[in-house]
Amino acid sequence: MHNTTNEYWVNQDLASYLPTYKRIPLAISHAKGSWVWDVEGNKYLDLLAGIAVNNLGHCHPVITKAICKQAGELMHISNFFISKPQVNLAKLLTELSGLSRVFFTNSGAESVEGAIKIARKYAHHHGRSGEIVFMENAFHGRTLGTIAAGKKNYQKGFSPIPTGFKEIPFNDIDSAKKHINSQTAAVILEPIQGEGGIHPADKNYLAELRAHCDSTDTLLIFDEIQCGIGRTGHLFAKDHFGVEPDILTLAKGLGSGMPVGAFLCSEKIAEVIEFGDHGTTFGGNPLACAAALATVNFIRDQKIEENTNIKAEWFRKKLDEVRDNFSVIKEVRGVGLMIGLVLTEESKPYVQKFLDRGIIINATAGNVIRLVPPLTITQEDLSTFLSALTEILKSESKGD
């Protein structure tokens, strides 16, 4: 039948969906673990994991069971009422993070918007401006507030852009000390820039930035939407760097595919928040919280962080060996299973080259292959990718 082809579903999508995505022309029908299948029955190894979302792989049985159980009991009640999954998740995240309070959202961009909002409330409470300092090459979302703290190309056509944002170079402490002062509300950064090309922050830079923020009473916001929830080999990326933020944003891997995000903050910030300062209809509903609760508990109880570090160390060593043999790979960078292969040429053509071999990867920042596979991916599956990478680079070096 015609509706069992990728072409049919691609055309259906083109006919009705807002044309905001340059989609890979595959209609995915089902998935399990590190593998997905399209409607034509073709199988693909997934090293994108829904863009660092499916950290426990697709349709993990523990998460699926938790969602099904909660869906049969209570899905949504609004935040006029209390639900056990929300209370339990809030308790778990505050205990594990060391931060005092949490607010649940539906997405990463919402989490960042909320973080900016409470940072400005804290600043105004203390008689200072609401300026937010952000980093070059940053990506925090595509809402108006988050593109104001991002690259200019995301702002084109959407003016007037919200004001009160200042861009500074990433990993440059001298610039930070120059621009962050007693009137700055907060500085926001990704401990590892994801969309910007897998750029980790320097540990010393973050430590010095933390000290400077303390000296100026400026809030430090870590956007861990992509690098959090075990991706770095720690539940929170902040623990890899050994630096504590005042506000932490989460989403993506938090719900294993269920839309859920969060921002956490210290008690001194919570103390200035009043009833009605923020709110959401769907954020923190019982279904989303049940998925997130099952995800975080599984990562913690099954030592996923420890296993991620072991796999990442092996994988990184193998990638370095490939780099040493092919000059087209300029650098391998990242932390844990958040890895960027920096090429000497454009990375986009490699998406199709890998797809032709049954592997899903991502190209970002012009010349970077982004690898954010499920944390549960096997060494065997990573070896499948390595074999394909070597095969493609050998073919390229021959001029094919």
Side-chain angles (χ1 to χ4, degrees), residues 169-246:
F170 187 51
N171 273 335
D172 184 338
I173 193 60
D174 291 333
S175 178
K177 290 179 177 179
K178 178 181 178 182
H179 294 286
I180 299 168
N181 54 53
S182 59
Q183 283 302 305
T184 307
V187 55
I188 184 170
L189 59 83
E190 304 152 89
I192 306 168
Q193 292 185 331
E195 191 75 14
I198 316 297
H199 290 279
D202 180 78
K203 284 188 177 183
N204 290 334
Y205 168 73
L206 287 186
E208 289 189 62
L209 182 61
R210 172 72 275 177
H212 183 65
C213 286
D214 287 340
S215 69
T216 57
D217 196 24
T218 300
L219 299 181
L220 179 59
I221 305 172
F222 279 2
D223 178 346
E224 293 202 16
I225 287 159
Q226 188 167 153
C227 62
I229 313 300
R231 178 119 328 248
T232 64
H234 295 269
L235 185 62
F236 303 107
K238 71 180 181 66
D239 297 325
H240 169 79
F241 295 95
V243 175
E244 298 297 322
D246 299 294

Side-chain angles (χ1 to χ4, degrees), residues 357-369:
R357 290 163 174 81
I359 299 174
I360 296 171
I361 62 147
N362 176 249
T364 191
N367 68 328
V368 178
I369 292 175

Side-chain angles (χ1 to χ4, degrees), residues 320-390:
D320 286 340
E321 290 174 1
V322 176
R323 178 204 60 198
D324 292 342
N325 288 313
F326 296 96
S327 59
V328 69
I329 301 180
K330 184 167 61 175
E331 183 184 0
V332 180
R333 64 188 178 214
V335 179
L337 285 176
M338 185 174 180
I339 297 171
L341 304 183
V342 186
L343 308 182
T344 58
E345 60 189 24
E346 188 179 357
S347 56
K348 280 186 180 179
Y350 285 84
V351 174
Q352 187 60 50
K353 295 177 193 295
F354 276 99
L355 207 60
D356 291 342
R357 290 163 174 81
I359 299 174
I360 296 171
I361 62 147
N362 176 249
T364 191
N367 68 328
V368 178
I369 292 175
R370 174 169 47 176
L371 304 174
V372 283
L375 307 183
T376 52
I377 193 170
T378 65
Q379 189 169 305
E380 180 182 1
D381 287 343
L382 290 173
S383 294
T384 297
F385 167 79
L386 289 166
S387 296
L389 175 63
T390 301

Side-chain angles (χ1 to χ4, degrees), residues 83-202:
S83 76
K84 290 188 292 184
Q86 188 185 95
V87 170
N88 290 334
L89 180 60
K91 184 174 185 291
L92 182 63
L93 289 179
T94 52
E95 287 177 351
L96 293 175
S97 69
L99 291 163
S100 300
R101 303 283 179 162
V102 63
F103 184 97
F104 294 116
T105 69
N106 305 284
S107 67
E110 272 188 68
S111 297
V112 172
E113 289 268 7
I116 291 170
K117 192 174 175 183
I118 65 171
R120 284 183 165 168
K121 181 66 185 286
Y122 178 85
H124 292 321
H125 181 83
H126 291 281
R128 58 203 297 172
S129 79
E131 184 176 70
I132 305 295
V133 170
F134 68 97
M135 303 295 156
E136 287 180 0
N137 219 35
F139 181 83
H140 298 293
R142 286 185 171 86
T143 60
L144 279 174
T146 54
I147 64 173
K151 295 180 181 178
K152 298 295 183 185
N153 59 301
Y154 289 114
Q155 300 175 7
K156 186 178 179 181
F158 300 111
S159 60
I161 302 299
T163 59
F165 295 86
K166 178 186 287 185
E167 182 181 65
I168 65 171
F170 187 51
N171 273 335
D172 184 338
I173 193 60
D174 291 333
S175 178
K177 290 179 177 179
K178 178 181 178 182
H179 294 286
I180 299 168
N181 54 53
S182 59
Q183 283 302 305
T184 307
V187 55
I188 184 170
L189 59 83
E190 304 152 89
I192 306 168
Q193 292 185 331
E195 191 75 14
I198 316 297
H199 290 279
D202 180 78

